[in-house]
Amino acid sequence: MVRKDRTFIDAIKNYYQSDIVDEEKHDTEVENMVYIDKLKHLLVMERDSKKFKVYSSKTGRLIQSVPEKNVKGGAIIAADFIELDNTRYVATCQNNRMINFWDSLNYNHRDRLPTADIQLCLKWCGQGVNRLFSGGCDNKIHAYDVLKPTEL
């Protein structure tokens, strides 16, 4: 159903398609994307892929595929950005029951945290909470200390 109020109609009239076009070849369907505002990066996860792609949100160009070399891991499901004091990581969860931590400057692998079950989503809660939360196939929410890294 189309809204008939003037503001909505005017907003549609002012829509212009972006000039940014993804020129990269994807092996499978894009299943998930995470925007990291502090880095101006868009993380793209393809179905059943052991890598994620990092794009510049300003230009739409591929910066790199992560990991560049073989790091033991399963297919990447979700990601989030972690900033705690001087620590800045990108956390990813995989279907091999691991949470991996990547340096946000160069996306080098920094650490890993085994989990009891496959985790399907991640969310960093900073500013006083300073915990990484995940939701898994076990129908539970888990909390982690990212500096140790351990489950709480």
Side-chain angles (χ1 to χ4, degrees), residues 5 17 19 31 34 38 40 42-43 52-53 66 71 77 79 94 127 149 151:
D5 67 51
Q17 185 172 346
D19 294 333
E31 192 169 65
V34 175
K38 293 240 178 177
K40 304 299 185 221
L42 181 68
L43 308 183
F52 63 94
K53 294 180 179 178
V66 180
V71 173
I77 299 169
Q94 283 78 235
Q127 297 181 358
E151 186 170 358

Side-chain angles (χ1 to χ4, degrees), residues 76-89:
I76 296 174
I77 299 169
D80 203 3
F81 178 67
I82 297 169
E83 186 171 32
L84 176 60
D85 299 326
N86 293 328
T87 302
R88 292 172 61 154
Y89 288 142

Side-chain angles (χ1 to χ4, degrees), residues 79-134:
D80 203 3
F81 178 67
I82 297 169
E83 186 171 32
L84 176 60
D85 299 326
N86 293 328
T87 302
R88 292 172 61 154
Y89 288 142
V90 171
T92 59
C93 58
Q94 283 78 235
N95 66 359
N96 66 342
R97 299 182 324 203
M98 287 285 182
I99 296 175
N100 282 306
F101 298 95
W102 310 88
D103 188 312
S104 67
L105 295 176
N106 53 22
Y107 290 94
N108 287 333
H109 188 257
R110 291 293 174 220
D111 212 340
R112 78 181 46 195
L113 175 65
T115 60
D117 211 335
I118 295 172
Q119 301 305 299
L120 301 171
C121 55
L122 294 173
K123 188 63 184 170
W124 170 248
C125 296
Q127 297 181 358
V129 177
N130 297 330
R131 291 191 178 128
L132 179 67
F133 291 93
S134 69

Side-chain angles (χ1 to χ4, degrees), residues 39-50:
L39 304 175
K40 304 299 185 221
H41 287 172
L42 181 68
L43 308 183
V44 175
M45 289 146 268
E46 299 171 17
R47 184 177 47 84
D48 297 329
S49 178
K50 293 184 177 188

